[in-house]
Every structure is written in structure tokens, then in C-alpha cells.
Amino acid sequence: MNVKFPGVVRILICFFLMVTLGQNLRGEVPVQKIKQAPGSGKLLKVLLDGPLSEVDDVVFAMRVSMNDHWYVSFGYYCNEPDKMGFGEGGKLCRLNLRTKKMSVILDDPQGGIRDPQVHYDGKKILFSYRKGGTANFHLYEINIDGSGLTQLTDGSDDDIEPTYLPSGSIMFCSSRCRRVVNCWLSRVATLYRCDGDGKNIRVVSSNNDHDNTPWMLPDGRILYMRWEYVDRSQVHFHHLWTVNPDGTSQMVYYGNEHGGVAMLDAKPIAGTNKVVASFSPGHGRAEHMGYVTTVDPSAGPDVQTTTRRVSDQLFRDPYAITENCFLVADPKGLYVMDGQGNTELIYESGKEKGSLECHEPRPLVGRPRERVLPSRVDLAEKTGQLILADIYHSRSMEGVKRGEVKKLLILEQLAKPVNFSGGQDPLSIGGTFTLARILGTVPVEEDGSAYMELPAMRSLFLVALDENDLSIKRMQSFVTLQPGEKTSCVGCHEQRSHTPRYQPGLMALKHLPSKIEPIPDVPNLLDYPRDIQPILDQHCVACHNSDSWEGQVDLTGDHTPVFSVSYWTMIKRGLIADGRNKPYSKQAPRSIGSAASRLMKLIDGTHYGATLSQRQKKIVRLWIETSATYPGTYAALGSGVSPVELPLEPMRNRCGSCHSVKPIERPHRHYVNFHLHFGPLKGGIPEYLSSAPWQHPMVPQSRCNLTHPEKSILLRAPLAKDAGGLGLCKGDVFASTSDPDYQTILRTIITAAKQLEKNKRFDMPGFRPNKHYIREMQRFGALPKNLSPADPIDIYATDNIYWKSFWYQAKESNN
């Protein structure tokens, strides 16, 4: 059975998992007992006589640590633009390991300092600095003696986590991508690069969510953490990836098959092919606190036995001198650590509450430059080329015969300008967090090969289609091509340690790369009320409405407090199959998407003569493939929610003998407080309720009809038939509509209906997005700065202006 858990239930589950891991929702770290070396005070001396013999000084940053998610350390919250993700006060410091003397290179009591990296020559430091009285971090360099402070970047966005490239350029993470976390309230930073003087800034990653802590590998690639999810769990997949300095060959390095840890601050271990990282438990801890862990990638990116936890205590910002010598930090200060996890505190942070804490220790020594990889980017091109060698050489393709895959549907995951919660509402009920644009299709040859030209710098994911255009296999990650990049993949979710099987003369390479063929007569971004509901009105609603309620199904477009009656029905009845925010993505063929969705069978003409046109079938199919969202606009976020404050005592008195009726304590403060839990029947669930996930606080809300309050199933189910109800409850709970408790419940629904009519939803005439959407779209250039309250806003056009601002514009020459 495919159980469907809506968004809030997912958050409750995540809350439980994080608590069991020892982390509360604020990301606070439990008190821990640090494992000290035998004969404390001797470890540093042993290491100074060995691996640290050529290291005199350590450079580190001091700043106020934050207690939100691991990625909230810069910028503002989109629902509270005056609330910042950073504290005031920062220092860039230098500690002599032999004398224990600490000197301050740069001090700014109202500013912020982070992410130092020592130059190859050991004479200057690259770091991120927010000057006191300003709101944004930018890249700076300074000499190790504190002279020569030089600002490299500027602007109204944040530039953080820089790393020197051996070519003389710099790669860093930046909120210049102008988007927010898909499942939170804060700004995103993705990979960018620039010249050594800060000029010629160019975006490298199109990720919807964070890229973090890039660092050079000896072979010339860049190691970093990529957090991404396409219709899979938002809290499980933040693992190690690599990319070339020019942005090409973005590829998983370790861990993307197995969720449950955030792999942060990864760096190579000199003299080995291994890396060290902070394995931050669960969805990650605040300030990257995690277990110091080494990773050997030689066995492949999915082999879990190739990691070794060095310490059972939580630290942050590990730097490996050797496999047996590490610099680490925690709220108490800086430590040295040996290969067995023994530690010695070498510098203690201030003990007073709110004082500056130590971060990012690095040895103040020069180092050899890494290999310089030649660029494969052509900035004069708007596209890249992708070769798929054999789509059948894949994981989880059991039962799929050669020749079955005919096309690839090309979809684009779309960035969010705003977001207001940790859940999916109102985009979906427990499904996707993002909208997807339909670009079109490319052919797959009989031998399973495909050769395609794709737009550069877009987050694209692919769906394999059969001869009926139904989904066989779905990509639950994304691919990005740089301008002019030519790259290839072995198969569909193939083992990353595999090389292409030798296939002379791939059929796809016998012609020029296929251009994407647009899909005619279908919007490239589907909107349920606009595009799907009219089809239901024409073919389904005559039988499936709140009056006749055939099959106990209502497919009308009437509003509920968050969604529509029919959209709730789609999810509750399991009519569509999607990724459902699951903590894995290796799905079996035809298990998600159109091929697995019962709705496609119900509209094929065999269900009581419901015969859709080919265009209508195509719209429904593509709506499913694009993750079956309710709105087709991000303007819907944070708007149009009108909860019914259901009365506890009347519900308990009239329904409590059969149902569990109790208030709900909401652990997540950013959700609307749907306060009444209306549980299943004691001793069983009637058919009309059997598919409902009862833990979801919005289930009773879904039975409230705000368009026609008197038609709410919450009222009609217990109302006697001779009074116009459905009489589904034992003993006719309400004999007539004049029953005082019936009227009390009805009044609460009417109150919510009036509130919705006043505030509007995205599909209602007169709708206007909330102030945060408008402000951010003005900030990002999608709406005019001088917009007046009376000026109309085309929400769909505004979204498109915002998304198109990310489309790559070809340059005359390479960077």
C-alpha cells in the first residue's frame, strides 16, 4: 500500500527523528563530555613534534554562533526582513601553537568575520567579512600581519565560503542566486566564481538549495556539499559533490544514495586520496556541528563502510594536517585531535553567554598549488550538450525491455523567491516543494542512447517515457550544463563507479544533438484550478459532487481552508503517485508518475464513459509529471489560507463517542494553527474516511467547504438523510440543521469563508500577493520599485520575469 503523508505530518515525523538524534528544532547541541587525551596537555606536544612540526600558527575566525539550521548564518528571513541570520561581532585571529599567544588580525565589534583560507604563498588570507553597520558579507583579502585589507566583491547579496583556485581565481558561495530555501525562510547561497581581484563574477551552480563549503582537491576538482531534492525528502540529501573550477562535470563524490547526514566542511587529507568532513547528524546541526569523519572514495560513492568516525563527540570545521592530526572547533574553543579522537583544548573561547566562538581553524602555512584543469566552457554559447550512453544500463530498471523508452521529458525545477514554512503547503499535500516547468521532449534511440542540446545553467531533470508517453523512470535529482559544455552519463541512475559499456557506434551520435521539441497546446507550467479543474467540471463533477457524492468522492473546485475539495480528493484517494517526500529516490520503474497514477486509468474512457480529449489527457498526464501541484505560481505561498477554528466542545460532545477529538499542540511555529485533531472512529474507520491520514491536523479542515459552507462533509456526514444530509454517522448525530451544535460548527466555517473572501486566494478574482512576495520581487527586479497598492499584478507573468532573470545570456568571450 502506498501511504500518503501530507506535509505537516512529514514535519512532525522530522521533528521526532531530530529529537531522537538529540537535536531540537532550533538546532541546539546537547552538552557533551569531550574525550581528552591521556595525560591532558601532552597531545599538542606530541603533534608539534610530529605532524605539526612545520606549523607555528593557526588562523581562525571568531563570531557569534547562530542556533537555527546549519545553513542560516547570513542574510535575512523573507517573512521578517529585519531579522538577520547573523550576530554582531567578529574577529580574525592568529594563535601561536608553541607560545599559546593569540593575536587579532582584524577586529570588528559590530561586524562579522568568517571562512578564512590561507593563500598558497602563506602570506595573505582570503575571508568573508561583513563590516559593522552593514548587512552583507563580501570577500576580502588581508596580509597575515593585518595590513593591506582589500575588498574584492560588493553588492546587496552575500558572498561567503571562498576558496582559492590554482589558476588565481576564486570560487565561493553567494546569495546572488536570489532565492530562498525550498523548505525554510532564509536565503540560499550557491557556487560562483570570480577573478582573483573579484571581477568577472559568474554563476557556476543553478541549485535551488544550498551549495556549501567548496575546497580544492589535489586533482584540480572542487569538493563541496550540495543539498538538493526533486520530489524526495528535504531533510536527507546533503552530500559531497565535485565540480571543475569552470563549473563543468558536476558529479556526486560520496553519499547521495544514503540519506540522514549533512556532510559539511569537507577537505582533502594531504598525502592520501581521502577527505575529512563534519558528518552533521540528521538534517544537520547549527554551525555545522558534527562527527569528524574521514571518507575514502576509492570504492565508489555509495559504499558506507569506507567512512571512519574519528570522534564520538561533536565538533565543527575539521582541518586535516594528516590522517592522525586534525584542527577542530566547538563552542568551547579550538582543539587538536589525533586519529583516535583524543583531543586537547588549545584555545578557550569566552565563557560568558553570547560571547564570540571559534570557527574555521587553518594552519598558517603555504601549500603547493593543485593541478589546473583546462576550461571546457564557451561563454559565447547558450546551451550545452549531453550524451546518454544507454538508458537501460541503470539501477532499478527491472522489467523494462530494450526499446520501451521512446522519449525523455525535460523538466526544469524552478527557484523560489519566497517561502514561509518548513512544509509543502500550499504547493502540495505532502509532495513536492517546488514548481516544475515543461521544456519538451527529446528522442531515445533503440539502443537506449540519446544525444541532446539543453539550455545552460538551468536545473533540469528527466522522465523516461514509453510509447504512450507514460512515465517509466523519473530522475529525482537535477543536472546543470555550463555554456558550451559537452558531457555524458552512463545510464539512468547508474552506479557512479561504472564506466560506459563499450558500444561502438551509438545510434544517437549518428546525428546532430536533438533540440528539445516543445509540447504544443499545453501550458509549460500547469495550475490546478486553471488547467485541471475545468476538465473535472466537464467530465466528472456531474456525478462526483457534494450533493450526490457518488462513490463518496467530491471533485468540485470549491475551496477548503488551504486547497480545493477536488485537490484534497486526489491526494486522499491516492489518485496520483509522486515522490511523496520519501527518504530515498531509487524508485522501481513505473512506481511514480503518470504510469503509476490511478487517475490516468479513470480518464481513459472506461470509467462510466468519462472520455477526455487527447489534449485534456495530455494536460492531466503532464500535470502529474510536473509533481501535481495545486498552484502554478509562487505568489500563492503565504496567502489564501483561511483555517476554520472548529469548536472543541461541540465536536467532542457530538463526535467524541466515536472519534478522538482533542486540541493539537503545534511544534512548528511557522504553520497556521489548525488546532483540532478529529481522529478515526474508535473500532474502525468508515469507507468515506478510510484513506485519510488521520495524524494530519488539516484532515477535518479538508472536510470544510468554504465556497458552500452548508455542503461541508464535516456537517453533511453526521446530518440525517431526511434533513438533507448523508446520514453516515451512527444514530444521526444531527437530526436537523437547526441543532445548536450543528449551527455552531456551521458558523465557524462561515467565518472562515468570509475571511477567505476578504483575503483572497491565488485563483480568486482580486487576489494580490502578500507584502513579502511583492517586496522580494521588487528587490529581484521582477516588479517595479514604484508599484502602488492600486497597481494590478499579473502573478504568472511576475514569476516568469523572475525565473527568466536566471537564464544564461551568452557572452562575447570566455571568462
Side-chain angles (χ1 to χ4, degrees), residues 442-460:
V442 295
V444 175
E445 306 295 341
E446 287 297 313
D447 65 351
S449 64
Y451 182 24
M452 64 202 84
E453 182 177 304
L454 302 175
M457 298 311 305
R458 311 267 282 275
S459 295
L460 307 178

PDB file of all heavy atoms in Angstrom, residues 442-460:
ATOM      1  N   VAL A 442      12.961  14.933 -25.944  1.00  0.00           N
ATOM      2  CA  VAL A 442      13.991  14.544 -26.911  1.00  0.00           C
ATOM      3  C   VAL A 442      13.867  13.041 -27.129  1.00  0.00           C
ATOM      4  O   VAL A 442      13.436  12.308 -26.232  1.00  0.00           O
ATOM      5  CB  VAL A 442      15.413  14.895 -26.419  1.00  0.00           C
ATOM      6  CG1 VAL A 442      15.586  16.404 -26.312  1.00  0.00           C
ATOM      7  CG2 VAL A 442      15.718  14.222 -25.090  1.00  0.00           C
ATOM      8  N   PRO A 443      14.242  12.536 -28.309  1.00  0.00           N
ATOM      9  CA  PRO A 443      14.072  11.108 -28.588  1.00  0.00           C
ATOM     10  C   PRO A 443      15.146  10.247 -27.939  1.00  0.00           C
ATOM     11  O   PRO A 443      16.283  10.691 -27.720  1.00  0.00           O
ATOM     12  CB  PRO A 443      14.171  11.047 -30.115  1.00  0.00           C
ATOM     13  CG  PRO A 443      15.026  12.222 -30.482  1.00  0.00           C
ATOM     14  CD  PRO A 443      14.695  13.295 -29.485  1.00  0.00           C
ATOM     15  N   VAL A 444      14.792   8.999 -27.675  1.00  0.00           N
ATOM     16  CA  VAL A 444      15.732   7.967 -27.230  1.00  0.00           C
ATOM     17  C   VAL A 444      15.789   6.913 -28.331  1.00  0.00           C
ATOM     18  O   VAL A 444      14.753   6.440 -28.801  1.00  0.00           O
ATOM     19  CB  VAL A 444      15.299   7.335 -25.899  1.00  0.00           C
ATOM     20  CG1 VAL A 444      16.220   6.174 -25.518  1.00  0.00           C
ATOM     21  CG2 VAL A 444      15.284   8.379 -24.790  1.00  0.00           C
ATOM     22  N   GLU A 445      16.994   6.542 -28.738  1.00  0.00           N
ATOM     23  CA  GLU A 445      17.164   5.581 -29.827  1.00  0.00           C
ATOM     24  C   GLU A 445      16.907   4.158 -29.346  1.00  0.00           C
ATOM     25  O   GLU A 445      16.832   3.884 -28.150  1.00  0.00           O
ATOM     26  CB  GLU A 445      18.583   5.698 -30.397  1.00  0.00           C
ATOM     27  CG  GLU A 445      18.979   7.097 -30.825  1.00  0.00           C
ATOM     28  CD  GLU A 445      18.160   7.619 -31.992  1.00  0.00           C
ATOM     29  OE1 GLU A 445      17.548   6.799 -32.710  1.00  0.00           O
ATOM     30  OE2 GLU A 445      18.148   8.855 -32.195  1.00  0.00           O
ATOM     31  N   GLU A 446      16.805   3.245 -30.311  1.00  0.00           N
ATOM     32  CA  GLU A 446      16.520   1.847 -29.987  1.00  0.00           C
ATOM     33  C   GLU A 446      17.590   1.221 -29.106  1.00  0.00           C
ATOM     34  O   GLU A 446      17.309   0.315 -28.332  1.00  0.00           O
ATOM     35  CB  GLU A 446      16.359   1.036 -31.273  1.00  0.00           C
ATOM     36  CG  GLU A 446      15.063   1.292 -32.027  1.00  0.00           C
ATOM     37  CD  GLU A 446      13.835   0.890 -31.206  1.00  0.00           C
ATOM     38  OE1 GLU A 446      13.849  -0.216 -30.637  1.00  0.00           O
ATOM     39  OE2 GLU A 446      12.876   1.673 -31.147  1.00  0.00           O
ATOM     40  N   ASP A 447      18.843   1.679 -29.241  1.00  0.00           N
ATOM     41  CA  ASP A 447      19.913   1.118 -28.413  1.00  0.00           C
ATOM     42  C   ASP A 447      19.990   1.768 -27.037  1.00  0.00           C
ATOM     43  O   ASP A 447      20.899   1.484 -26.250  1.00  0.00           O
ATOM     44  CB  ASP A 447      21.258   1.229 -29.132  1.00  0.00           C
ATOM     45  CG  ASP A 447      21.693   2.678 -29.352  1.00  0.00           C
ATOM     46  OD1 ASP A 447      20.883   3.591 -29.103  1.00  0.00           O
ATOM     47  OD2 ASP A 447      22.848   2.893 -29.781  1.00  0.00           O
ATOM     48  N   GLY A 448      19.034   2.661 -26.722  1.00  0.00           N
ATOM     49  CA  GLY A 448      18.989   3.313 -25.412  1.00  0.00           C
ATOM     50  C   GLY A 448      19.794   4.582 -25.307  1.00  0.00           C
ATOM     51  O   GLY A 448      19.875   5.185 -24.238  1.00  0.00           O
ATOM     52  N   SER A 449      20.398   5.022 -26.416  1.00  0.00           N
ATOM     53  CA  SER A 449      21.211   6.230 -26.376  1.00  0.00           C
ATOM     54  C   SER A 449      20.387   7.462 -26.721  1.00  0.00           C
ATOM     55  O   SER A 449      19.355   7.375 -27.392  1.00  0.00           O
ATOM     56  CB  SER A 449      22.393   6.108 -27.339  1.00  0.00           C
ATOM     57  OG  SER A 449      21.947   6.019 -28.687  1.00  0.00           O
ATOM     58  N   ALA A 450      20.854   8.600 -26.243  1.00  0.00           N
ATOM     59  CA  ALA A 450      20.232   9.884 -26.552  1.00  0.00           C
ATOM     60  C   ALA A 450      21.317  10.948 -26.582  1.00  0.00           C
ATOM     61  O   ALA A 450      22.289  10.890 -25.813  1.00  0.00           O
ATOM     62  CB  ALA A 450      19.163  10.233 -25.529  1.00  0.00           C
ATOM     63  N   TYR A 451      21.147  11.897 -27.472  1.00  0.00           N
ATOM     64  CA  TYR A 451      22.117  12.991 -27.629  1.00  0.00           C
ATOM     65  C   TYR A 451      21.301  14.264 -27.742  1.00  0.00           C
ATOM     66  O   TYR A 451      20.487  14.408 -28.658  1.00  0.00           O
ATOM     67  CB  TYR A 451      22.944  12.737 -28.887  1.00  0.00           C
ATOM     68  CG  TYR A 451      24.037  13.739 -29.179  1.00  0.00           C
ATOM     69  CD1 TYR A 451      24.626  14.514 -28.182  1.00  0.00           C
ATOM     70  CD2 TYR A 451      24.506  13.882 -30.489  1.00  0.00           C
ATOM     71  CE1 TYR A 451      25.638  15.414 -28.473  1.00  0.00           C
ATOM     72  CE2 TYR A 451      25.531  14.788 -30.794  1.00  0.00           C
ATOM     73  CZ  TYR A 451      26.082  15.546 -29.788  1.00  0.00           C
ATOM     74  OH  TYR A 451      27.086  16.442 -30.080  1.00  0.00           O
ATOM     75  N   MET A 452      21.479  15.179 -26.797  1.00  0.00           N
ATOM     76  CA  MET A 452      20.563  16.318 -26.709  1.00  0.00           C
ATOM     77  C   MET A 452      21.299  17.623 -26.456  1.00  0.00           C
ATOM     78  O   MET A 452      22.377  17.647 -25.859  1.00  0.00           O
ATOM     79  CB  MET A 452      19.538  16.070 -25.603  1.00  0.00           C
ATOM     80  CG  MET A 452      20.129  15.988 -24.220  1.00  0.00           C
ATOM     81  SD  MET A 452      19.082  15.098 -23.012  1.00  0.00           S
ATOM     82  CE  MET A 452      19.565  13.397 -23.352  1.00  0.00           C
ATOM     83  N   GLU A 453      20.709  18.684 -26.932  1.00  0.00           N
ATOM     84  CA  GLU A 453      21.178  20.038 -26.655  1.00  0.00           C
ATOM     85  C   GLU A 453      20.225  20.662 -25.644  1.00  0.00           C
ATOM     86  O   GLU A 453      19.016  20.717 -25.880  1.00  0.00           O
ATOM     87  CB  GLU A 453      21.217  20.853 -27.942  1.00  0.00           C
ATOM     88  CG  GLU A 453      21.752  22.265 -27.756  1.00  0.00           C
ATOM     89  CD  GLU A 453      21.836  23.019 -29.077  1.00  0.00           C
ATOM     90  OE1 GLU A 453      22.491  22.516 -30.012  1.00  0.00           O
ATOM     91  OE2 GLU A 453      21.230  24.103 -29.172  1.00  0.00           O
ATOM     92  N   LEU A 454      20.779  21.130 -24.532  1.00  0.00           N
ATOM     93  CA  LEU A 454      19.965  21.619 -23.423  1.00  0.00           C
ATOM     94  C   LEU A 454      20.379  23.040 -23.063  1.00  0.00           C
ATOM     95  O   LEU A 454      21.547  23.414 -23.219  1.00  0.00           O
ATOM     96  CB  LEU A 454      20.131  20.704 -22.204  1.00  0.00           C
ATOM     97  CG  LEU A 454      19.765  19.228 -22.403  1.00  0.00           C
ATOM     98  CD1 LEU A 454      20.101  18.432 -21.150  1.00  0.00           C
ATOM     99  CD2 LEU A 454      18.301  19.067 -22.764  1.00  0.00           C
ATOM    100  N   PRO A 455      19.449  23.836 -22.553  1.00  0.00           N
ATOM    101  CA  PRO A 455      19.807  25.199 -22.142  1.00  0.00           C
ATOM    102  C   PRO A 455      20.800  25.180 -20.979  1.00  0.00           C
ATOM    103  O   PRO A 455      20.688  24.367 -20.063  1.00  0.00           O
ATOM    104  CB  PRO A 455      18.466  25.812 -21.735  1.00  0.00           C
ATOM    105  CG  PRO A 455      17.588  24.647 -21.420  1.00  0.00           C
ATOM    106  CD  PRO A 455      18.023  23.545 -22.331  1.00  0.00           C
ATOM    107  N   ALA A 456      21.766  26.078 -21.037  1.00  0.00           N
ATOM    108  CA  ALA A 456      22.791  26.149 -19.995  1.00  0.00           C
ATOM    109  C   ALA A 456      22.245  26.787 -18.726  1.00  0.00           C
ATOM    110  O   ALA A 456      21.311  27.598 -18.755  1.00  0.00           O
ATOM    111  CB  ALA A 456      23.991  26.945 -20.501  1.00  0.00           C
ATOM    112  N   MET A 457      22.827  26.386 -17.615  1.00  0.00           N
ATOM    113  CA  MET A 457      22.588  26.986 -16.301  1.00  0.00           C
ATOM    114  C   MET A 457      21.118  26.907 -15.868  1.00  0.00           C
ATOM    115  O   MET A 457      20.579  27.837 -15.274  1.00  0.00           O
ATOM    116  CB  MET A 457      23.067  28.436 -16.264  1.00  0.00           C
ATOM    117  CG  MET A 457      24.553  28.604 -16.506  1.00  0.00           C
ATOM    118  SD  MET A 457      25.581  27.501 -15.499  1.00  0.00           S
ATOM    119  CE  MET A 457      25.031  27.862 -13.851  1.00  0.00           C
ATOM    120  N   ARG A 458      20.491  25.779 -16.143  1.00  0.00           N
ATOM    121  CA  ARG A 458      19.125  25.528 -15.678  1.00  0.00           C
ATOM    122  C   ARG A 458      19.126  24.186 -14.934  1.00  0.00           C
ATOM    123  O   ARG A 458      19.823  23.243 -15.317  1.00  0.00           O
ATOM    124  CB  ARG A 458      18.153  25.486 -16.856  1.00  0.00           C
ATOM    125  CG  ARG A 458      18.279  26.664 -17.827  1.00  0.00           C
ATOM    126  CD  ARG A 458      17.346  27.780 -17.502  1.00  0.00           C
ATOM    127  NE  ARG A 458      15.988  27.500 -17.931  1.00  0.00           N
ATOM    128  CZ  ARG A 458      15.519  27.724 -19.161  1.00  0.00           C
ATOM    129  NH1 ARG A 458      16.316  28.226 -20.109  1.00  0.00           N
ATOM    130  NH2 ARG A 458      14.265  27.475 -19.459  1.00  0.00           N
ATOM    131  N   SER A 459      18.332  24.073 -13.884  1.00  0.00           N
ATOM    132  CA  SER A 459      18.232  22.828 -13.110  1.00  0.00           C
ATOM    133  C   SER A 459      17.221  21.909 -13.790  1.00  0.00           C
ATOM    134  O   SER A 459      16.009  22.057 -13.612  1.00  0.00           O
ATOM    135  CB  SER A 459      17.801  23.133 -11.671  1.00  0.00           C
ATOM    136  OG  SER A 459      18.779  23.885 -11.003  1.00  0.00           O
ATOM    137  N   LEU A 460      17.728  20.950 -14.552  1.00  0.00           N
ATOM    138  CA  LEU A 460      16.887  20.102 -15.391  1.00  0.00           C
ATOM    139  C   LEU A 460      16.819  18.686 -14.827  1.00  0.00           C
ATOM    140  O   LEU A 460      17.808  18.156 -14.318  1.00  0.00           O
ATOM    141  CB  LEU A 460      17.436  20.055 -16.817  1.00  0.00           C
ATOM    142  CG  LEU A 460      17.669  21.412 -17.488  1.00  0.00           C
ATOM    143  CD1 LEU A 460      18.257  21.221 -18.876  1.00  0.00           C
ATOM    144  CD2 LEU A 460      16.382  22.222 -17.561  1.00  0.00           C
TER     145      LEU A 460
END
